[in-house]
Amino acid sequence: MKGRTITLDHLNGAEAAALMVDGQLQDLLIDSDLPRPGTIYRAIAERPMKGQGGVFLRSPDGPCYLRQIKGVSPGQALLVQVTGYAEPGKAIPVTPKILFKSRYAIVTPDAPGLNVSRSIKDEALRDRLLELAHDSMTGEGGLILRSSCAAAETDAIAEDIAAMADLAAQVMADASGDAETLVEGDGPHALAWREWTDPAEIDTASGSFETHGVLDALEALRSDTVPLGGGASMHVEPTRALVAVDVNTGGDTSPAAGLKANMAALRDLPRQLRLRGLGGQITIDPAPCPKKDRKQIEGVLRAALRADTVETVLVGWTPMGNLELQRKRDRIALTQVLP
């Protein structure tokens, strides 16, 4: 099956969306009962964490943790936004830097200025979009026009800007009072519309996950083992402290076996982490290969990460020859939503 297909369905009663590209599952969004990233609270400051530079906040959904904040007093009301999913037993991660994000526009109340995505290179188009931004943006704050604007109708962009600007004005003016949820984060179907903007066939029929092979792909994700071809494999195993990734050559004993296995694994690793909803510290134990191959291995991984949608930092090599990543937790772990 060639091309891109977006399927909007439900999984075990929860709203879900899947992106299939040429018959392969590329992205997956599943709802849960946890607070969604993007949710905005009016939260109440409680106790600071001395030595850690953070403070716990009270929200309608439980305790939140705000990092690196100064000048916050217990009892103070703050507007904060959920940045990702909390690890089991930990507080909800939040930030005071609130964004109002839609398909074409991002309104930034704390960062003035009108900007166009750098991926839009056409100068004439950039000028037209900036003119539209000046005409459509009202009130204070800043605006970023996303790369999806390149193929969008002017009226649709203007409507998006107006909707986000109005929502931002309402929320930012509602900073006083007790703990309250002011905006719910987008669910999987809304996120699919917002983030998967390349042309695609869209199937909203009940049972579309089975029709397009999503259920088969999910069944494969239940295993920690990812076949890489030629007998090589990658094992992706989440632990409480980190996600361990082990690359093996299998029965291939040729001199280039280690390099081939590592390159195949790292090309697919961002997709595997994305689909499994894994983040935090990622430690990769590569298949044996000479140190001189490390630059080539890093290049393959960096290219794969550039095409990924989840913020990931390549930290570097450890003295023992492992490769470490730090990845944002903006997806729910598959093990938390699949029985």
Side-chain angles (χ1 to χ4, degrees):
M1 184 186 300
K2 297 293 184 181
R4 294 169 59 90
T5 303
I6 295 171
T7 63
L8 307 180
D9 203 348
H10 287 76
L11 194 64
N12 301 320
E15 187 178 291
L19 174 63
M20 301 291 290
V21 178
D22 296 335
Q24 183 182 62
L25 182 60
Q26 284 295 322
D27 210 344
L28 178 69
L29 303 167
I30 305 176
D31 210 1
S32 74
D33 56 1
L34 297 175
R36 296 168 174 169
T39 296
I40 300 173
Y41 299 125
R42 186 197 309 117
I44 307 301
E46 294 191 323
R47 56 190 175 92
M49 293 294 290
K50 293 183 178 179
Q52 295 186 23
V55 63
F56 279 103
L57 310 175
R58 172 169 52 87
S59 83
D61 292 323
C64 300
Y65 186 67
L66 184 59
R67 292 181 180 274
Q68 297 176 342
I69 192 75
K70 295 181 179 179
V72 175
S73 305
Q76 181 178 342
L78 298 169
L79 295 182
V80 293
Q81 188 167 42
V82 178
T83 59
Y85 289 102
E87 298 178 64
K90 295 191 176 181
I92 304 164
V94 295
T95 177
K97 298 178 181 179
I98 296 174
L99 301 177
F100 296 86
K101 192 173 186 180
S102 191
R103 184 178 177 97
Y104 304 119
I106 303 173
V107 172
T108 57
D110 298 323
L114 303 179
N115 300 281
V116 176
S117 169
R118 284 178 291 184
S119 66
I120 298 178
K121 306 296 185 184
D122 186 315
E123 289 299 328
L125 175 58
R126 292 180 66 86
D127 289 343
R128 289 198 298 273
L129 289 172
L130 282 172
E131 184 178 351
L132 176 61
H134 278 286
D135 293 342
S136 305
M137 186 66 179
T138 58
E140 299 179 356
L143 174 70
I144 301 169
L145 292 180
R146 307 183 69 191
S147 58
S148 52
C149 291
E153 297 290 336
T154 298
D155 288 349
I157 300 171
E159 287 174 10
D160 230 17
I161 294 172
M164 290 299 99
D166 289 347
L167 180 61
Q170 293 173 24
V171 171
M172 301 309 288
D174 198 10
S176 301
D178 200 4
E180 183 180 348
T181 301
L182 302 180
V183 177
E184 290 279 1
D186 287 334
H189 292 180
L191 274 175
W193 172 81
R194 194 183 88 186
E195 301 298 333
W196 300 342
T197 57
D198 288 342
E201 174 193 347
I202 300 175
D203 192 341
T204 61
S206 178
S208 60
F209 272 15
E210 183 173 8
T211 302
H212 295 282
V214 177
L215 297 184
D216 291 338
L218 286 174
E219 193 60 33
L221 289 169
R222 291 180 184 274
S223 173
D224 293 336
T225 303
V226 182
L228 299 173
S233 62
M234 169 172 61
H235 301 270
V236 183
E237 302 178 52
T239 72
R240 187 168 181 83
L242 51 82
V243 177
V245 179
D246 183 39
V247 184
N248 297 304
T249 59
D252 189 347
T253 58
S254 65
L259 180 61
K260 287 193 298 183
N262 289 329
M263 292 176 69
L266 296 182
R267 284 193 186 99
D268 196 39
L269 181 60
R271 185 179 72 93
Q272 291 293 331
L273 295 174
R274 187 167 64 245
L275 296 178
R276 296 165 189 268
L278 299 177
Q281 181 181 336
I282 317 292
T283 299
I284 306 162
D285 182 12
C289 63
K291 281 189 176 181
K292 65 181 178 64
D293 291 336
R294 286 186 177 181
K295 184 169 288 188
Q296 188 173 354
I297 290 170
E298 278 190 46
V300 167
L301 180 56
R302 289 185 190 279
L305 291 175
R306 280 195 296 271
D308 192 19
T309 56
V310 182
E311 181 181 333
T312 306
V313 177
L314 200 167
V315 179
W317 296 87
T318 71
M320 294 186 67
N322 294 329
L323 189 55
E324 291 187 331
L325 310 177
Q326 187 66 37
R327 187 173 177 87
K328 187 176 180 181
R329 298 180 186 276
D330 73 348
R331 305 293 174 90
I332 185 71
L334 205 57
T335 53
Q336 293 181 253
V337 290
L338 287 186

